[in-house]
């Protein structure tokens, strides 16, 4: 006996739930994350529970664990950092300076940088930290 | 004369380009966002003459190594520093707290101390070099 194969018609999968989920993910990432410019050097700032929310930094000086320095996407020596900061301060004397130093960097390296900044006329700086959980 | 209205077929709006765009946006935000909660701690850069209120009211914390801390020359613990800062802030809210880390100390350790000072209410903190290490 020949049985006719029942035509199994698959109902067209609705794309709507998929789109719903994708939209939800999109909104989640848009709201919870922050978009920041990636650093040139690999830096894990020290953890701290105190501190204020990071405001937009005028100059962000990166200092890696090995003591290398950079501003934005440019590697610099200590003198170049001081010169860049001094030049920036000519245009904008109250520019906010943030030192994003690695938690494993030696304090002496940070002190060297502070010395150079002081010679450039800087009086207050901020140290970048990551919130301790 | 009766004119039959021509029936315009309802065109089904294709969702595919929309989904494409939404996926692209999703991937962009997934790659570009960071969830690290970055913050900042404000620090004063000391002047070269080092004159921050003289010796009488000085509050000097030396970070000797990852375990050893000194407050005005006496060995103390992190908890003691926090308590001492708290009482000092009550007496003099404008007190400047000078932190002198040794060159070889890791920044994380320095930050632990700054964290305690900040938690105890200290607002004005300077980072300075040990006198003996200025050459």
């Amino acid at each position: 006996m020949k049985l006719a194969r029942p035509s199994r018609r698959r109902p067209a999968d609705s794309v709507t739930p998929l789109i719903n989920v994708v939209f939800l993910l999109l909104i989640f990432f848009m709201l919870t994350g922050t978009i920041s410019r990636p650093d040139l050097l690999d830096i894990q700032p020290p953890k701290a529970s105190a501190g204020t929310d990071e405001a937009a930094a005028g100059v962000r000086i990166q200092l890696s664990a090995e003591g290398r320095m950079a501003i934005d996407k440019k590697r610099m020596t200590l003198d170049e950092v001081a010169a860049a900061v001094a030049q920036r301060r000519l245009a904008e004397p109250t520019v906010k300076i943030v030192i994003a130093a690695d938690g494993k960097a030696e304090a002496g390296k940070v002190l060297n940088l502070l010395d150079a900044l002081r010679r450039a006329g800087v009086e207050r700086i901020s140290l970048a930290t990551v919130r301790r959980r | 004369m009766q004119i039959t209205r021509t029936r315009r077929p309802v065109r089904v709006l294709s969702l595919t380009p929309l989904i494409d765009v939404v996926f692209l946006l999703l991937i962009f935000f997934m790659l570009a966002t960071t969830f690290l909660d970055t913050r900042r701690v404000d620090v004063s850069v000391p002047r070269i003459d080092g004159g921050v209120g003289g010796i009488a009211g000085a509050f000097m914390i030396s970070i000797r190594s990852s375990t050893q801390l000194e407050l005005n020359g006496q060995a103390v613990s992190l908890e003691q520093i926090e308590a001492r800062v708290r009482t000092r802030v009550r007496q003099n809210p404008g007190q400047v707290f000078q932190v002198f880390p040794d060159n070889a100390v890791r920044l994380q350790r320095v930050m632990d101390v700054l964290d305690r000072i900040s938690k105890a209410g200290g607002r004005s903190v300077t980072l300075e070099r040990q006198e003996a290490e200025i050459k």
Side-chain angles (χ1 to χ4, degrees), chain A residues 43-107:
Chain A
I43 286 166
Q44 267 120 37
K47 296 183 189 66
S49 42
T52 43
D53 284 337
E54 186 170 16
V59 181
R60 184 179 161 92
I61 303 169
Q62 304 158 45
L63 175 67
S64 77
E66 302 82 46
R68 285 196 294 261
M69 277 172 263
I71 294 179
D72 293 337
K73 290 284 177 196
K74 207 160 151 235
R75 288 275 295 276
M76 288 187 182
T77 63
L78 190 59
D79 294 336
E80 284 167 345
V81 167
V85 169
Q87 198 177 14
R88 183 71 195 269
R89 278 172 57 83
L90 280 181
E92 196 184 340
T94 57
V95 66
K96 201 149 190 59
I97 292 166
V98 174
I99 298 181
D102 196 286
K104 290 194 286 299
E106 288 174 356

Side-chain angles (χ1 to χ4, degrees), chain A residues 15 18-19 22-23 25-26 28-30 32-36 45-55 96 101-108 110-112 114-115 118 122-133, chain B residues 15 18-19 22-23 25-30 32-48 99 101-112 114-115 118-119 123-125 127-130 133:
Chain A
V15 257
L18 172 71
I19 300 174
V22 170
F23 259 116
L25 282 173
L26 180 63
F28 168 75
F29 278 103
M30 281 173 68
T32 56
T34 46
I35 299 181
S36 54
K47 296 183 189 66
S49 42
T52 43
D53 284 337
E54 186 170 16
K96 201 149 190 59
D102 196 286
K104 290 194 286 299
E106 288 174 356
V110 181
L111 291 174
N112 290 343
L114 290 183
D115 283 342
R118 176 183 51 215
V122 178
E123 280 167 5
R124 288 192 72 77
I125 57 111
S126 301
L127 287 170
T129 62
V130 171
R131 176 110 69 123
R132 199 190 297 273
R133 305 206 177 264
Chain B
L15 279 177
L18 171 72
I19 301 172
V22 170
F23 259 117
L25 281 174
L26 178 64
I27 289 166
F28 168 76
F29 277 104
M30 280 174 72
T33 51
T34 49
F35 290 98
L36 279 181
D37 193 356
T38 54
R39 325 192 88 205
R40 62 188 167 81
V41 171
D42 292 339
V43 173
S44 293
V45 184
R47 284 170 294 158
I48 291 177
V99 178
D102 270 11
N103 279 342
V105 171
R106 303 282 172 198
L107 185 62
Q108 178 65 65
R109 179 66 179 163
V110 180
M111 191 53 70
D112 291 342
L114 298 184
D115 214 8
S118 179
K119 213 190 279 177
R123 288 287 158 264
S124 185
V125 180
L127 264 186
E128 300 179 44
R129 197 183 292 276
Q130 299 276 2
E133 287 175 351

